[in-house]
Amino acid sequence: MTQPILSYQDIKVRFATEFGEIDAVKGVSFDLHPGEVVAVVGESGSGKSVTSSTAMGLLADNAAVEGTVLLDGKDVTAMSASQLRKLRGNDISMVFQEPMTALNPVLKVSTQMVEVLEIHGKAYGTDALRRSIELLEQVGIPDPEKRIHEYPHQFSGGQRQRIVIAMAIACGPKVIIADEPTTALDVTVQAEILDLLRRLKDELNTGIVLITHNMGVVADMADRVVVMFHGEVVEHGTAEEILTRPQHPYTQRLLDAMPHLGEHAVEVREQEIPAAIEPEYALQGKDLALAYRFRGKSIRVVEGVNFGVQPGEILGLVGESGSGKSTVAKAVLGLLEVEEGELLVRGQDLPQLPRKQRKALRREIGVVFQDPAASLDPRFPIGDIITEPMVIHKVGTAQERIRRAEELLEAVKLPTSVINRYPHELSGGQRQRISIARALSLSPSILIADEPTSALDVSVQARVLEMFAELQEQFSFACLFVTHDLAVVDQLADQILVMQNGRVVEQGTKDQILRAPREDYTRRLLAAAPVPNPVTQAERRAARLRLLADQGRLPG
């Protein structure tokens, strides 16, 4: 093995706060070699992002660092601000989780990429522009000569992440720190970004520190794994050792919490009611066409969608970003007009009802959004947040509402003592439980869940999904569950509807869609979902590339 390109030696990081000192990292040590991927895994608050930030000198002013970080033999912790500026981009660069926070929305991509090269003295003017176009081509942006002059919002999420990666490799760094680089991406786009990072690592012999909580991504990318818990390294070894023979109880818990695609086989039950009898649907869409209005023009984004959800049933709505799945959910919530077709809530066509009846019928629909921090009002205590729907619909007295809030807190497994606390005082998983409690406050017959666990750590996600299944059994609501995580759908859903470009590609029972897909698009979605086993994942990656080749979809 070559000399390490990056070495953490007994790193400790403390933050001085008004409540005293907080030990965020407690003596972390590990090495990274050229052309190697080391995955640093753990949940929120484990110290993995703080550890990685020490290598770039990006910690806040109230941080005190002990120990040594050696980058190509140079001690980063002893460098001045000007030395660190020269280091960043040249020797070490970073790929952030959300590309839109890393790109300036008011500057063209050409301006931002040329700036990187000029600041570091790599190229200037037309030479810098030419080099930027080459970089975009290298990371797989189509028609780079034209597209480089566009703004970030004109690219898809996956393309934006490719641009961030192009900027990260512009100066030929020895180390790339990838901080959750695929968390915000669809499963197929995630697979493409991981393929790209793997190829660039081999071509440039760059070392990659991969920060993630997704064990499937670890299995797909990592050579070695560092597991962190409460600021300490609790386990360290090869990807195969950690993922197939974990020794520490925390690592075992992380792996047990991962939903595994294909584990939840369903018994196919015989239909008890005669086929001639029309099933009773809580929610039904018939030839739905949905459109956004912009400057007087109608832009149709969903066409010819048919579905039905019976009481006590979960319909998983899956597809990539832009497929129309969240648009369908918005229409059910009344946030988008139905241009054609019928949207039936308990047999009544919601868009055609008079306003008063429509408002009354909306009491039947609860909603859980993706990001609990954004969907809970930070000014309200938890009790007011849960009872607000009851206040709006004039349900019960003040005392009855508080009693109902306490019942719901118990149902979502939170102590009733949180009723007077505020959202910022709770963890992400607890906030999402509050969102679910609020959604159930009016005892809805229908629940819309739009990516309700994608912002959560894997173990928190597991607890929320388990609780969600229990609540669904208890309250027997019909549920429209929007997600791009096929393993989550496998765990929860009864029926699945696959969408692409605003149309239904395939629909059927969970077993039909996940075990015997008929359509090429569904097969690509399933092939792109990583599993937390390096050997199995290597086989799945090879099978995915064969599938793409057979379908003529391999990148040029």
Side-chain angles (χ1 to χ4, degrees), residues 310-314 445 472 476-479 494:
Q310 296 181 51
E313 187 178 63
I314 296 178
S445 58
Q472 206 265 344
S476 202
F477 48 77
C479 180
D494 302 297

Side-chain angles (χ1 to χ4, degrees), residues 412-486:
V412 297
K413 296 180 171 57
L414 283 175
T416 54
S417 57
V418 305
I419 206 160
N420 295 315
R421 293 169 71 183
Y422 287 83
H424 72 271
E425 298 178 80
L426 305 178
S427 70
Q430 288 173 325
R431 285 197 292 259
Q432 196 60 297
R433 286 165 187 249
I434 298 299
S435 296
I436 294 169
R438 177 180 60 184
L440 297 174
S441 63
L442 293 169
S443 302
S445 58
I446 298 162
L447 191 70
I448 309 298
D450 192 356
E451 301 274 12
T453 59
S454 64
L456 305 177
D457 285 325
V458 64
S459 63
V460 179
Q461 171 182 277
R463 290 196 293 273
V464 170
L465 290 175
E466 189 181 315
M467 183 204 71
F468 195 92
E470 287 174 13
L471 289 171
Q472 206 265 344
E473 199 172 315
Q474 182 182 341
F475 292 99
S476 202
F477 48 77
C479 180
L480 197 63
F481 198 97
V482 179
T483 184
H484 64 256
D485 191 330
L486 295 169

Side-chain angles (χ1 to χ4, degrees), residues 89-124:
N90 271 327
D91 296 324
I92 185 169
S93 58
M94 197 156 193
V95 177
F96 294 96
Q97 178 174 347
E98 177 47 67
M100 274 308 271
T101 60
L103 296 170
N104 191 326
V106 300
L107 295 178
K108 291 179 180 177
V109 169
S110 55
T111 306
Q112 299 183 57
M113 293 195 68
V114 165
E115 183 184 39
V116 171
L117 293 164
E118 290 185 341
I119 282 174
H120 292 286
K122 298 294 181 184
Y124 297 92

